[in-house]
Every structure is written in C-alpha cells, then in structure tokens.
Amino acid sequence: MTTSIEISREDRVAVIRFNRPAQLNALNAQLAAEIVAAVETLDADKNVGALVITGSERAFAAGADIAEMVGKSAEQMIEENFFGIWDRFANSRLPKIAAVNGYALGGGCELMMMCDFAIAGENAKFGQPEIKLGVIAGMGGTQRMTKQIGRALSMDLHLTGRMMGAQEALRAGLVARVVPDAEVVATAMDAAAEIAGYSRPATRLAREAVMKAEELSLHEGILYERALFHRLFGTHDQREGMTAFVEKRPPNFQGNR
C-alpha cells in the first residue's frame, strides 16, 4: 500500500510531508491513521525535539477527503466517531510547526491549527469552506479558529466559506510568520531546530502553559504557569541552564537526550 505521508529526520527535527498530490493532500482515514501513529512514535522518542509538518507547493492540505464521507449516514458518523482520531494528534506533547504553502482549507486548516504555530508562504490560502457542502467543520475548526482570531472573523470565514490570504492570516493571528514561498520549509526547519536544542522538559511545559491560557482565567493561568515554573527547578536542565548563563557558556541540556 502506498503511504500517505513521508517521514524524514534532520538531527533532532522530524519532518512529516503529506503524500497525496493528486488529491491536493486531502485528509483521508489512511493519512489520519498514519500521521497519528507517526506523531505518537516521535513523541515518545527522546531524540526528537520538534516536528515540522508540510505538504506540497500547491497545497498543505486542501481539506478532508469528501469522497470518503459522501455516502455515510449520521448513525455511521456517530458510531465511527468520525474525525475523533485527530484528538490524539492534537494531544501530542511534541512541539509541532506547520509549514504551509498553497491551500490549507477545511480539514487542512484545522490540522494546521492543531499545530503549535504555522509559518506560511506568501501565496498560501486559508479557509473553512464546509458550509458550501452543507456541513460545518468537524475537526475543531469552529473552536480553535474562534480562540485564535476572534468571534467576528471566525464567523465570517465559517459562514461565508471564503478564503483568507497569507497577510490577512498573519494580521489575524492565524499564522505566526509569512515568508517567501520557497523559504517556508527552511524557515520552519530553522525554528524547529532552535526549539529542539532547548530543554525537552521546558519546551513541553511551555507548550502546556500556553495551551492552558485558552481555557483558564488570568488568575488561574498565572497560578498554573507558576506551578510549572517551580516544577522545572527539579530538573537538571534548569540547573545547567542557569549555571551556564552565570558562567557565560552555552548550556548542555540533558533532558533532550
């Protein structure tokens, strides 16, 4: 069976590239199973510090595979908990960067939002066009997008189905950076390598603290952050990082080994 993804490694950075070019990397059940299995394996590998997820020049992922869903009934969708597998991807503790060229629509946009941040090419396009098919987002799009860019703009995209260009996405906070199309993957790789070079416990708890900010009040969030901050003082990497700073030398983190 042809795999739907390609996996490679560069030092402590892993790369997953979608491999369904004829379908513009539409997300089907096979791809979902393969990427979730890969991410869970990489998450458990202490020699991997960050992950870059990307597609092709034409499309990061142009949506979910409609051909796979068109004949299903409501009972089947409920019984299968369709799209539920993606919760496992979102819950991975591995820092994940989406490197986006071309279309990131529907499920592709939702998958991008499950990553920790996205770096987009100048010609990237984003949107949630499910309304044009008589349905709504089902992988978390209405929830994550609203938390990221606010109610008004999220409503605009979900109710009209329009596409958003890269610069609008940057202004809205949907993506973190916009770079020339040819530099997207390299920029994401550089960011991932920088993250992977830091303390593994610290990067994981930084992710956890930022994610909790979307759920907790400011007071609760500050207390949660402080508890994680205190917890890191039980690690070798905290002692090494601060000692190295005082001694004016590069740190030798061990938590990422």
Side-chain angles (χ1 to χ4, degrees), residues 8 63 65 89 96 104 127 136 141 147 163 169 174 182 187 189 222 224 249:
S8 59
D65 196 328
F89 176 90
K96 298 177 286 298
I136 65 171
K147 290 179 184 298
M163 288 191 290
L174 188 64
T187 303
M189 291 293 292
I222 289 171
Y224 188 83
R249 60 172 175 82

Side-chain angles (χ1 to χ4, degrees), residues 151-162 168:
R151 176 179 176 273
L153 193 50
S154 181
M155 280 286 195
D156 178 5
L157 291 170
H158 284 279
L159 291 180
T160 69
R162 74 175 179 90
E168 184 181 1

Side-chain angles (χ1 to χ4, degrees), residues 193-226:
E194 185 172 14
I195 293 167
Y198 296 137
S199 165
R200 196 164 184 258
T203 58
R204 291 192 169 209
L205 291 188
R207 284 190 70 256
E208 188 175 322
V210 172
M211 297 296 286
K212 280 291 185 181
E214 295 182 338
E215 303 173 15
L216 303 176
S217 69
L218 177 60
H219 175 68
E220 292 169 328
I222 289 171
L223 294 178
Y224 188 83
E225 175 193 83
R226 190 168 300 146

Side-chain angles (χ1 to χ4, degrees), residues 68-160:
E68 196 172 61
M69 294 184 279
V70 65
K72 290 185 179 291
S73 67
E75 290 79 4
Q76 286 175 303
M77 297 295 274
I78 294 167
E79 179 64 25
E80 296 174 20
N81 189 23
F82 205 85
F83 287 154
I85 190 172
W86 289 107
D87 295 342
R88 291 163 55 189
F89 176 90
N91 291 334
S92 163
R93 297 175 298 164
L94 184 65
K96 298 177 286 298
I97 302 173
V100 181
N101 273 315
Y103 297 109
L105 302 175
C109 190
E110 291 172 287
L111 175 58
M112 180 196 76
M113 291 188 287
M114 293 181 209
C115 296
D116 295 313
F117 62 92
I119 294 172
E122 292 173 323
N123 293 298
K125 300 288 186 183
F126 308 88
Q128 299 291 160
E130 291 89 348
I131 199 72
K132 297 181 179 182
L133 303 176
V135 293
I136 65 171
M139 289 168 54
T142 61
Q143 305 305 297
R144 290 190 176 91
M145 183 173 281
T146 303
K147 290 179 184 298
Q148 284 189 232
I149 68 175
R151 176 179 176 273
L153 193 50
S154 181
M155 280 286 195
D156 178 5
L157 291 170
H158 284 279
L159 291 180
T160 69

Side-chain angles (χ1 to χ4, degrees), residues 163-187:
M163 288 191 290
M164 173 189 285
Q167 289 299 329
E168 184 181 1
L170 179 65
R171 292 192 299 270
L174 188 64
V175 302
R177 311 183 203 176
V178 172
V179 300
D181 292 348
E183 298 175 15
V184 169
V185 174
T187 303

